Coordinates of all heavy atoms in Angstrom, one line a residue:
M146 N 0.8 -1.2 0.0 CA 0.0 0.0 0.0 C 0.9 1.2 0.0 O 1.7 1.4 0.9 CB -0.9 0.0 1.3 CG -1.8 1.1 1.3 SD -2.9 1.0 2.8 CE -3.6 -0.6 2.5
T147 N 0.8 2.0 -1.0 CA 1.6 3.2 -1.1 C 0.7 4.4 -1.1 O -0.5 4.4 -1.4 CB 2.4 3.2 -2.4 OG1 1.6 3.1 -3.5 CG2 3.4 2.1 -2.3
F148 N 1.3 5.5 -0.8 CA 0.6 6.8 -0.7 C 1.2 7.7 -1.7 O 2.4 8.0 -1.7 CB 0.8 7.4 0.8 CG 0.0 8.6 1.0 CD1 -1.3 8.6 1.2 CD2 0.7 9.8 1.1 CE1 -2.0 9.8 1.4 CE2 0.0 11.0 1.3 CZ -1.3 11.0 1.5
S149 N 0.3 8.2 -2.6 CA 0.8 9.1 -3.6 C 0.1 10.4 -3.7 O -1.1 10.4 -3.4 CB 0.7 8.4 -5.0 OG 1.1 9.2 -6.0
D150 N 0.7 11.5 -4.1 CA 0.1 12.7 -4.2 C -0.4 12.9 -5.7 O -1.1 13.9 -6.0 CB 1.0 13.9 -3.9 CG 1.4 14.0 -2.5 OD1 0.5 13.7 -1.7 OD2 2.5 14.4 -2.1
H151 N -0.1 11.9 -6.5 CA -0.5 12.0 -7.9 C -2.0 11.9 -8.0 O -2.6 11.1 -7.4 CB 0.2 10.9 -8.7 CG 0.0 11.1 -10.2 ND1 -1.0 10.7 -10.9 CD2 0.9 11.7 -11.1 CE1 -0.9 11.0 -12.2 NE2 0.3 11.7 -12.3
P152 N -2.7 12.8 -8.9 CA -4.1 12.8 -9.0 C -4.7 11.4 -9.4 O -5.8 11.1 -9.0 CB -4.4 13.8 -10.1 CG -3.2 14.7 -10.1 CD -2.1 13.8 -9.7
S153 N -4.0 10.7 -10.2 CA -4.5 9.4 -10.6 C -4.6 8.4 -9.4 O -5.3 7.3 -9.5 CB -3.7 8.8 -11.7 OG -2.4 8.5 -11.3
A154 N -3.9 8.6 -8.3 CA -3.9 7.7 -7.2 C -5.1 8.0 -6.2 O -5.2 7.3 -5.3 CB -2.6 7.9 -6.4
R155 N -5.8 9.0 -6.5 CA -6.9 9.3 -5.6 C -8.1 8.4 -5.9 O -8.3 7.9 -7.0 CB -7.3 10.8 -5.8 CG -6.2 11.7 -5.3 CD -6.7 13.1 -5.2 NE -5.6 13.9 -4.7 CZ -4.9 14.8 -5.4 NH1 -5.1 14.9 -6.7 NH2 -3.9 15.5 -4.9
P156 N -9.0 8.3 -4.9 CA -10.2 7.4 -5.1 C -11.1 8.0 -6.3 O -10.8 9.0 -6.8 CB -10.9 7.5 -3.8 CG -10.0 8.2 -2.8 CD -8.9 8.8 -3.6
G157 N -12.1 7.2 -6.6 CA -13.0 7.5 -7.7 C -13.6 8.9 -7.6 O -13.3 9.7 -6.8
P158 N -14.6 9.1 -8.5 CA -15.2 10.4 -8.6 C -15.9 10.9 -7.3 O -16.4 10.0 -6.6 CB -16.2 10.3 -9.8 CG -16.4 8.8 -9.9 CD -15.2 8.1 -9.4
V159 N -16.0 12.2 -7.2 CA -16.7 12.7 -6.0 C -18.2 12.6 -6.3 O -18.6 12.9 -7.4 CB -16.3 14.2 -5.9 CG1 -17.1 14.9 -4.8 CG2 -14.8 14.3 -5.6
T160 N -18.9 12.2 -5.3 CA -20.3 12.1 -5.5 C -21.0 13.4 -4.9 O -20.5 13.9 -3.9 CB -20.9 10.9 -4.8 OG1 -20.6 11.0 -3.4 CG2 -20.4 9.6 -5.4
G161 N -22.0 13.9 -5.6 CA -22.7 15.1 -5.1 C -22.0 16.3 -5.7 O -20.9 16.2 -6.2
P162 N -22.6 17.4 -5.6 CA -22.0 18.7 -6.2 C -20.9 19.2 -5.4 O -20.8 19.1 -4.1 CB -23.2 19.7 -6.1 CG -24.1 19.2 -5.0 CD -23.9 17.6 -5.0
T163 N -19.9 19.7 -6.0 CA -18.8 20.4 -5.4 C -18.9 21.9 -5.6 O -19.7 22.3 -6.5 CB -17.4 19.9 -6.0 OG1 -17.4 20.3 -7.4 CG2 -17.3 18.4 -5.9
P164 N -18.2 22.7 -4.9 CA -18.3 24.1 -5.1 C -18.1 24.6 -6.5 O -18.7 25.5 -7.0 CB -17.3 24.7 -4.1 CG -17.1 23.7 -3.1 CD -17.3 22.4 -3.8
Q165 N -17.2 23.8 -7.2 CA -16.9 24.2 -8.6 C -18.0 23.9 -9.5 O -18.1 24.4 -10.6 CB -15.6 23.5 -9.1 CG -14.4 23.9 -8.4 CD -14.2 23.3 -7.0 OE1 -14.9 22.4 -6.6 NE2 -13.2 23.8 -6.2
M166 N -19.0 23.1 -9.1 CA -20.1 22.7 -9.9 C -21.3 23.6 -9.8 O -22.3 23.5 -10.5 CB -20.6 21.3 -9.6 CG -19.5 20.2 -9.9 SD -19.9 18.6 -9.2 CE -20.9 18.0 -10.5
M167 N -21.2 24.6 -8.9 CA -22.3 25.5 -8.7 C -22.4 26.5 -9.8 O -21.4 26.9 -10.4 CB -22.1 26.3 -7.4 CG -21.9 25.5 -6.1 SD -23.5 24.6 -5.9 CE -23.1 23.9 -4.3
P168 N -23.7 26.8 -10.2 CA -23.9 27.7 -11.4 C -23.2 29.0 -11.1 O -23.3 29.6 -10.1 CB -25.4 27.8 -11.4 CG -26.0 26.7 -10.6 CD -24.9 26.3 -9.6
G169 N -22.5 29.5 -12.1 CA -21.9 30.8 -12.1 C -20.6 30.8 -11.3 O -20.0 31.9 -11.2
A170 N -20.2 29.8 -10.7 CA -19.0 29.8 -9.8 C -17.8 29.8 -10.7 O -17.7 29.0 -11.7 CB -19.0 28.6 -8.9
K171 N -16.8 30.5 -10.4 CA -15.5 30.5 -11.0 C -14.7 29.4 -10.4 O -14.7 29.2 -9.2 CB -14.8 31.9 -10.9 CG -15.6 33.0 -11.6 CD -14.8 34.3 -11.3 CE -15.7 35.4 -11.9 NZ -15.2 36.7 -11.5
P172 N -13.9 28.6 -11.2 CA -13.1 27.6 -10.6 C -12.2 28.1 -9.5 O -11.5 29.0 -9.7 CB -12.3 27.1 -11.8 CG -13.1 27.5 -13.0 CD -13.8 28.7 -12.6
G173 N -12.3 27.5 -8.4 CA -11.5 27.8 -7.2 C -12.0 29.0 -6.4 O -11.6 29.2 -5.3
A174 N -12.9 29.8 -6.9 CA -13.4 31.0 -6.2 C -14.1 30.6 -5.0 O -13.9 31.2 -3.9 CB -14.2 31.9 -7.1
V175 N -15.1 29.7 -5.1 CA -15.9 29.4 -3.9 C -15.1 28.6 -2.9 O -15.2 28.9 -1.7 CB -17.1 28.5 -4.4 CG1 -17.9 27.9 -3.1 CG2 -18.0 29.2 -5.3
L176 N -14.2 27.8 -3.4 CA -13.3 27.0 -2.5 C -12.4 28.0 -1.7 O -12.2 27.8 -0.5 CB -12.5 26.0 -3.3 CG -11.7 25.0 -2.5 CD1 -12.5 24.2 -1.5 CD2 -10.9 24.1 -3.4
A177 N -11.9 29.0 -2.4 CA -11.0 29.9 -1.7 C -11.7 30.7 -0.7 O -11.1 31.1 0.4 CB -10.4 30.8 -2.8
E178 N -13.0 31.0 -0.9 CA -13.7 31.8 0.1 C -14.1 30.9 1.3 O -14.2 31.5 2.4 CB -15.0 32.3 -0.5 CG -14.8 33.3 -1.6 CD -16.1 33.6 -2.4 OE1 -17.2 33.2 -1.9 OE2 -16.0 34.3 -3.4
T179 N -14.3 29.6 1.2 CA -14.8 28.8 2.3 C -13.7 28.1 3.0 O -13.9 27.6 4.1 CB -15.8 27.7 1.8 OG1 -15.1 26.9 0.8 CG2 -17.0 28.4 1.2
V180 N -12.5 28.0 2.5 CA -11.4 27.2 3.1 C -10.3 28.2 3.5 O -9.8 29.0 2.7 CB -10.8 26.2 2.2 CG1 -9.7 25.4 2.8 CG2 -11.9 25.2 1.8
G181 N -9.9 28.2 4.8 CA -8.8 29.0 5.2 C -7.5 28.4 4.8 O -7.4 27.3 4.3
A182 N -6.4 29.2 4.9 CA -5.1 28.7 4.6 C -4.7 27.6 5.5 O -4.9 27.7 6.7 CB -4.1 29.9 4.6
V183 N -4.0 26.6 5.0 CA -3.5 25.5 5.8 C -2.0 25.7 5.9 O -1.3 26.0 4.9 CB -3.8 24.1 5.1 CG1 -3.2 23.0 5.9 CG2 -5.3 23.9 5.0
D184 N -1.5 25.6 7.1 CA -0.1 25.7 7.3 C 0.7 24.6 6.5 O 0.5 23.4 6.7 CB 0.2 25.5 8.8 CG 1.7 25.5 9.2 OD1 2.5 26.0 8.3 OD2 2.0 25.1 10.3
P185 N 1.5 25.1 5.6 CA 2.2 24.1 4.7 C 3.1 23.1 5.5 O 3.2 22.0 5.2 CB 3.1 25.0 3.8 CG 2.5 26.3 3.9 CD 1.8 26.4 5.2
G186 N 3.7 23.6 6.6 CA 4.5 22.7 7.4 C 3.7 21.6 8.1 O 4.1 20.5 8.1
L187 N 2.5 22.0 8.5 CA 1.6 21.0 9.2 C 1.2 20.0 8.1 O 1.2 18.8 8.4 CB 0.5 21.7 9.8 CG -0.6 20.8 10.4 CD1 0.0 19.9 11.5 CD2 -1.8 21.6 10.9
A188 N 0.8 20.5 7.0 CA 0.3 19.6 5.9 C 1.4 18.6 5.5 O 1.1 17.4 5.3 CB -0.2 20.4 4.7
E189 N 2.6 19.1 5.4 CA 3.7 18.2 5.0 C 4.0 17.2 6.1 O 4.3 16.0 5.8 CB 4.9 19.0 4.6 CG 6.1 18.2 4.1 CD 5.7 17.3 2.9 OE1 4.9 17.7 2.1 OE2 6.4 16.3 2.7
S190 N 3.9 17.6 7.3 CA 4.2 16.7 8.4 C 3.2 15.6 8.5 O 3.5 14.4 8.8 CB 4.3 17.4 9.8 OG 3.0 17.9 10.2
I191 N 1.9 15.9 8.2 CA 0.9 14.9 8.1 C 1.2 13.9 7.0 O 1.1 12.7 7.2 CB -0.5 15.5 7.9 CG1 -0.8 16.3 9.2 CG2 -1.6 14.5 7.6 CD1 -2.0 17.3 9.0
R192 N 1.5 14.4 5.8 CA 1.9 13.5 4.7 C 3.1 12.6 5.0 O 3.0 11.4 4.7 CB 2.2 14.4 3.4 CG 1.1 15.0 2.8 CD 1.6 15.7 1.5 NE 0.5 16.5 1.0 CZ 0.5 17.9 1.0 NH1 1.6 18.5 1.5 NH2 -0.5 18.5 0.5
V193 N 4.1 13.2 5.6 CA 5.3 12.4 6.0 C 4.9 11.3 7.0 O 5.3 10.1 6.8 CB 6.4 13.3 6.6 CG1 7.5 12.5 7.2 CG2 6.9 14.2 5.5
R194 N 4.1 11.6 8.0 CA 3.7 10.6 9.0 C 2.9 9.5 8.4 O 3.1 8.3 8.7 CB 2.9 11.3 10.2 CG 2.5 10.4 11.3 CD 3.8 9.9 12.0 NE 3.3 9.0 13.1 CZ 3.9 7.8 13.3 NH1 5.0 7.5 12.7 NH2 3.4 7.0 14.2
V195 N 1.9 9.9 7.6 CA 1.1 8.8 6.9 C 2.0 8.0 6.0 O 1.8 6.8 6.0 CB -0.1 9.5 6.2 CG1 -0.8 8.4 5.4 CG2 -1.0 10.1 7.2
R196 N 2.9 8.6 5.2 CA 3.8 7.8 4.4 C 4.6 6.8 5.2 O 4.8 5.7 4.8 CB 4.6 8.7 3.6 CG 4.0 9.3 2.4 CD 5.0 10.1 1.5 NE 4.3 10.8 0.5 CZ 4.2 12.1 0.4 NH1 4.9 12.9 1.3 NH2 3.6 12.7 -0.5
E197 N 5.1 7.3 6.3 CA 5.9 6.4 7.2 C 5.1 5.2 7.6 O 5.6 4.1 7.6 CB 6.5 7.2 8.4 CG 7.5 8.2 8.1 CD 7.9 9.1 9.3 OE1 7.2 9.0 10.3 OE2 8.8 9.9 9.2
L198 N 3.9 5.5 8.1 CA 3.1 4.4 8.6 C 2.7 3.4 7.5 O 2.8 2.2 7.7 CB 1.8 5.0 9.2 CG 2.0 5.7 10.5 CD1 0.8 6.5 10.9 CD2 2.4 4.8 11.7
L199 N 2.4 3.9 6.3 CA 2.0 3.1 5.2 C 3.3 2.3 4.7 O 3.2 1.2 4.2 CB 1.4 3.9 4.1 CG 0.0 4.5 4.4 CD1 -0.6 5.2 3.2 CD2 -1.0 3.4 4.9
G200 N 4.4 3.0 4.8 CA 5.7 2.3 4.4 C 5.9 1.1 5.3 O 6.4 0.0 4.9
Q201 N 5.7 1.3 6.6 CA 5.8 0.2 7.5 C 4.9 -1.0 7.2 O 5.2 -2.2 7.3 CB 5.6 0.6 9.0 CG 6.7 1.6 9.5 CD 6.4 2.1 10.9 OE1 6.0 1.3 11.7 NE2 6.6 3.4 11.1
V202 N 3.6 -0.6 6.8 CA 2.7 -1.7 6.4 C 3.2 -2.4 5.2 O 3.2 -3.7 5.2 CB 1.3 -1.0 6.1 CG1 0.3 -2.0 5.5 CG2 0.7 -0.4 7.4
D203 N 3.7 -1.7 4.2 CA 4.3 -2.4 3.1 C 5.5 -3.3 3.4 O 5.6 -4.4 2.9 CB 4.8 -1.3 2.0 CG 3.6 -0.7 1.3 OD1 2.5 -1.3 1.2 OD2 3.8 0.4 0.7
D204 N 6.3 -2.8 4.3 CA 7.5 -3.6 4.8 C 7.1 -4.9 5.4 O 7.6 -6.0 5.1 CB 8.4 -2.8 5.8 CG 9.1 -1.6 5.1 OD1 9.2 -1.6 3.9 OD2 9.5 -0.7 5.9
I205 N 6.1 -4.8 6.3 CA 5.5 -6.0 6.9 C 5.0 -7.0 5.9 O 5.2 -8.2 5.9 CB 4.5 -5.7 8.0 CG1 5.1 -4.9 9.1 CG2 3.7 -6.9 8.5 CD1 4.2 -4.3 10.1
R206 N 4.2 -6.5 4.9 CA 3.6 -7.3 3.9 C 4.7 -8.0 3.0 O 4.6 -9.2 2.8 CB 2.7 -6.5 2.9 CG 2.0 -7.3 1.9 CD 1.2 -6.4 0.9 NE 1.8 -5.2 0.5 CZ 2.7 -5.1 -0.5 NH1 3.1 -6.1 -1.1 NH2 3.2 -3.9 -0.8
E207 N 5.7 -7.2 2.7 CA 6.8 -7.8 1.9 C 7.6 -8.9 2.7 O 8.0 -9.9 2.2 CB 7.8 -6.7 1.5 CG 7.2 -5.8 0.4 CD 8.1 -4.6 0.1 OE1 9.2 -4.5 0.7 OE2 7.6 -3.7 -0.6
Q208 N 7.8 -8.7 4.0 CA 8.5 -9.7 4.8 C 7.6 -10.9 5.0 O 8.2 -12.0 5.1 CB 8.8 -9.1 6.2 CG 9.9 -8.0 6.1 CD 10.0 -7.2 7.5 OE1 9.4 -7.6 8.5 NE2 10.9 -6.2 7.5
S209 N 6.3 -10.7 5.1 CA 5.5 -11.9 5.3 C 5.3 -12.7 4.1 O 5.0 -13.9 4.1 CB 4.1 -11.4 5.8 OG 4.2 -10.8 7.0
G210 N 5.4 -12.1 2.9 CA 5.3 -12.8 1.7 C 3.9 -13.3 1.5 O 2.9 -12.7 1.9
E211 N 3.7 -14.5 1.0 CA 2.4 -15.1 0.8 C 1.9 -15.8 2.0 O 0.7 -16.2 2.0 CB 2.5 -16.1 -0.4 CG 2.8 -15.5 -1.7 CD 1.8 -14.4 -2.2 OE1 0.6 -14.7 -2.1 OE2 2.2 -13.3 -2.6
A212 N 2.7 -16.0 3.0 CA 2.3 -16.7 4.2 C 1.3 -15.9 5.0 O 1.4 -14.6 5.0 CB 3.5 -17.1 5.1
I213 N 0.3 -16.5 5.6 CA -0.6 -15.8 6.5 C 0.0 -15.8 7.9 O 0.2 -16.8 8.5 CB -2.0 -16.5 6.6 CG1 -2.6 -16.5 5.2 CG2 -2.9 -15.9 7.6 CD1 -3.9 -17.3 5.1
D214 N 0.3 -14.6 8.3 CA 1.0 -14.3 9.6 C 0.0 -13.4 10.4 O -0.1 -12.2 10.2 CB 2.3 -13.7 9.4 CG 3.1 -13.5 10.7 OD1 2.5 -13.6 11.8 OD2 4.3 -13.1 10.6
L215 N -0.6 -14.0 11.4 CA -1.6 -13.2 12.2 C -1.0 -12.1 13.0 O -1.6 -11.0 13.2 CB -2.4 -14.1 13.1 CG -3.3 -15.1 12.4 CD1 -4.1 -16.0 13.4 CD2 -4.3 -14.4 11.4
V216 N 0.2 -12.3 13.5 CA 1.0 -11.3 14.2 C 1.3 -10.1 13.3 O 1.1 -8.9 13.7 CB 2.2 -11.8 14.9 CG1 3.1 -10.7 15.5 CG2 1.9 -12.9 15.9
A217 N 1.7 -10.4 12.1 CA 2.0 -9.4 11.1 C 0.7 -8.6 10.7 O 0.7 -7.4 10.6 CB 2.7 -10.0 9.9
L218 N -0.3 -9.4 10.5 CA -1.6 -8.8 10.2 C -2.1 -7.8 11.3 O -2.6 -6.7 11.0 CB -2.6 -9.9 9.9 CG -4.0 -9.4 9.4 CD1 -3.9 -8.6 8.2 CD2 -4.9 -10.6 9.3
A219 N -1.9 -8.2 12.5 CA -2.3 -7.4 13.7 C -1.5 -6.1 13.7 O -2.0 -5.0 14.0 CB -2.2 -8.2 15.0
R220 N -0.2 -6.2 13.4 CA 0.7 -5.0 13.4 C 0.3 -4.1 12.2 O 0.2 -2.9 12.4 CB 2.1 -5.5 13.3 CG 3.1 -4.3 13.2 CD 3.1 -3.5 14.5 NE 4.0 -2.4 14.4 CZ 3.8 -1.2 14.9 NH1 2.8 -1.0 15.6 NH2 4.7 -0.2 14.7
Q221 N 0.0 -4.7 11.1 CA -0.5 -3.9 10.0 C -1.8 -3.1 10.3 O -1.9 -2.0 10.0 CB -0.7 -4.7 8.7 CG 0.6 -5.2 8.1 CD 0.3 -6.1 6.9 OE1 -0.5 -7.1 7.0 NE2 0.8 -5.8 5.7
T222 N -2.7 -3.8 11.0 CA -3.9 -3.2 11.4 C -3.7 -2.1 12.3 O -4.3 -1.0 12.2 CB -4.8 -4.3 12.1 OG1 -5.1 -5.4 11.2 CG2 -6.1 -3.7 12.5
Q223 N -2.8 -2.2 13.3 CA -2.5 -1.2 14.2 C -1.9 0.0 13.5 O -2.2 1.2 13.8 CB -1.5 -1.7 15.2 CG -1.1 -0.7 16.3 CD 0.0 -1.3 17.2 OE1 0.8 -2.1 16.9 NE2 0.0 -0.7 18.5
L224 N -1.0 -0.2 12.5 CA -0.4 0.9 11.8 C -1.4 1.6 10.9 O -1.4 2.9 10.8 CB 0.8 0.4 10.9 CG 2.0 -0.1 11.6 CD1 2.9 -0.9 10.7 CD2 2.8 1.1 12.2
L225 N -2.3 0.9 10.3 CA -3.4 1.5 9.5 C -4.3 2.3 10.4 O -4.8 3.4 10.0 CB -4.1 0.5 8.7 CG -3.4 -0.2 7.6 CD1 -4.1 -1.3 7.0 CD2 -3.0 0.8 6.5
E226 N -4.6 1.8 11.6 CA -5.4 2.6 12.5 C -4.7 3.9 12.9 O -5.4 4.9 13.1 CB -5.8 1.8 13.7 CG -6.8 0.7 13.4 CD -7.0 -0.3 14.6 OE1 -6.3 -0.3 15.6 OE2 -8.0 -1.1 14.5
Q227 N -3.4 3.8 13.1 CA -2.6 5.0 13.5 C -2.7 6.1 12.3 O -2.9 7.3 12.5 CB -1.2 4.7 13.8 CG -1.0 4.0 15.1 CD 0.5 3.6 15.3 OE1 1.3 3.9 14.5 NE2 0.7 3.0 16.4
A228 N -2.5 5.6 11.1 CA -2.6 6.5 9.9 C -4.0 7.1 9.8 O -4.1 8.3 9.6 CB -2.3 5.7 8.6
H229 N -5.0 6.3 10.1 CA -6.4 6.8 10.1 C -6.6 7.9 11.1 O -7.2 8.9 10.9 CB -7.4 5.7 10.3 CG -8.8 6.1 10.3 ND1 -9.5 6.3 11.5 CD2 -9.7 6.3 9.3 CE1 -10.7 6.7 11.2 NE2 -10.9 6.7 9.9
E230 N -6.0 7.7 12.3 CA -6.1 8.7 13.4 C -5.4 10.0 13.0 O -5.9 11.1 13.3 CB -5.5 8.1 14.7 CG -5.6 9.0 15.9 CD -7.0 9.5 16.2 OE1 -7.9 8.7 16.1 OE2 -7.2 10.6 16.7
V231 N -4.2 9.9 12.4 CA -3.5 11.1 12.0 C -4.4 11.9 11.0 O -4.5 13.1 11.1 CB -2.2 10.7 11.3 CG1 -1.5 11.9 10.6 CG2 -1.2 10.1 12.3
L232 N -5.0 11.2 10.0 CA -5.8 11.8 9.0 C -7.1 12.4 9.6 O -7.4 13.5 9.3 CB -6.1 10.9 7.9 CG -4.9 10.5 7.0 CD1 -5.3 9.4 6.1 CD2 -4.3 11.7 6.3
T233 N -7.8 11.7 10.5 CA -9.0 12.2 11.0 C -8.7 13.3 12.0 O -9.5 14.3 12.0 CB -9.8 11.1 11.7 OG1 -9.0 10.4 12.7 CG2 -10.4 10.1 10.8
S234 N -7.6 13.3 12.7 CA -7.3 14.4 13.6 C -7.0 15.7 12.7 O -7.4 16.8 13.1 CB -6.0 14.1 14.4 OG -6.3 13.1 15.3
A235 N -6.3 15.5 11.6 CA -6.0 16.6 10.8 C -7.3 17.2 10.2 O -7.5 18.4 10.1 CB -5.1 16.2 9.6
L236 N -8.2 16.3 9.7 CA -9.5 16.8 9.2 C -10.3 17.6 10.2 O -10.9 18.6 10.0 CB -10.3 15.7 8.6 CG -9.7 15.1 7.3 CD1 -10.5 13.9 6.9 CD2 -9.8 16.2 6.2
S237 N -10.3 17.0 11.5 CA -11.1 17.7 12.5 C -10.5 19.1 12.8 O -11.2 20.0 13.2 CB -11.2 16.8 13.7 OG -10.0 16.6 14.4
E238 N -9.2 19.2 12.8 CA -8.5 20.4 13.0 C -8.8 21.4 12.0 O -9.1 22.6 12.2 CB -7.0 20.2 13.1 CG -6.2 21.5 13.4 CD -6.5 22.1 14.8 OE1 -6.8 21.3 15.7 OE2 -6.4 23.3 14.9
V239 N -8.8 21.0 10.7 CA -9.1 21.9 9.6 C -10.6 22.3 9.7 O -11.0 23.5 9.4 CB -8.9 21.2 8.2 CG1 -9.4 22.0 7.1 CG2 -7.4 21.1 8.1
D240 N -11.5 21.4 10.1 CA -12.9 21.7 10.2 C -13.2 22.7 11.2 O -14.2 23.4 11.1 CB -13.7 20.4 10.5 CG -15.1 20.5 10.4 OD1 -15.6 21.2 9.4 OD2 -15.9 20.0 11.2
R241 N -12.4 22.8 12.3 CA -12.6 23.8 13.3 C -12.3 25.2 12.9 O -12.7 26.2 13.6 CB -11.8 23.5 14.6 CG -12.3 22.3 15.3 CD -11.5 22.1 16.5 NE -10.8 20.8 16.3 CZ -10.1 20.2 17.2 NH1 -9.9 20.7 18.3 NH2 -9.6 19.0 16.9
R242 N -11.6 25.4 11.8 CA -11.2 26.8 11.4 C -12.3 27.5 10.8 O -13.2 27.2 10.3 CB -10.0 26.7 10.4 CG -8.8 26.2 11.1 CD -7.7 26.1 10.1 NE -6.6 25.5 10.7 CZ -5.4 25.4 10.1 NH1 -5.2 25.8 8.9 NH2 -4.4 24.8 10.8

């Protein structure tokens, strides 16, 4: 499992209307009005932490190979939960602004 910033690595299409789909909206104008500036250092630290956690998940998967290792699976689960917590904490922090 890898983490990429490339647009093709993102999940499927967005469901429901986005600000850019609103009649008469200029691309990015509505978004710029509703979203405050995000600290670039904080954003990068979140990306780095999530990449580290997902890298550890990949390492465990590679070490385990095709064998089913419940201890390795439990560790991967723990790492994925940590990555999820990092992301949800970041989202809740942005939502408070």
Side-chain angles (χ1 to χ4, degrees):
M146 182 177 305
T147 56
F148 182 75
S149 174
D150 290 328
H151 193 274
S153 66
R155 294 193 176 104
V159 174
T160 58
T163 63
Q165 292 79 11
M166 298 169 85
M167 300 298 188
K171 295 177 186 171
V175 174
L176 187 60
E178 292 171 9
T179 58
V180 177
V183 175
D184 177 15
L187 176 62
E189 185 58 28
S190 70
I191 292 166
R192 286 186 193 107
V193 167
R194 182 68 182 135
V195 171
R196 280 190 190 111
E197 288 172 353
L198 291 166
L199 296 179
Q201 290 177 44
V202 170
D203 283 340
D204 291 345
I205 292 169
R206 182 182 43 82
E207 290 171 6
Q208 291 171 2
S209 298
E211 296 298 317
I213 296 176
D214 182 351
L215 295 180
V216 173
L218 184 59
R220 180 65 181 141
Q221 286 177 307
T222 301
Q223 181 184 27
L224 291 166
L225 290 172
E226 287 173 349
Q227 287 177 2
H229 180 262
E230 180 60 34
V231 169
L232 293 171
T233 55
S234 293
L236 286 174
S237 67
E238 181 65 30
V239 169
D240 191 40
R241 284 183 248 188
R242 293 180 185 185

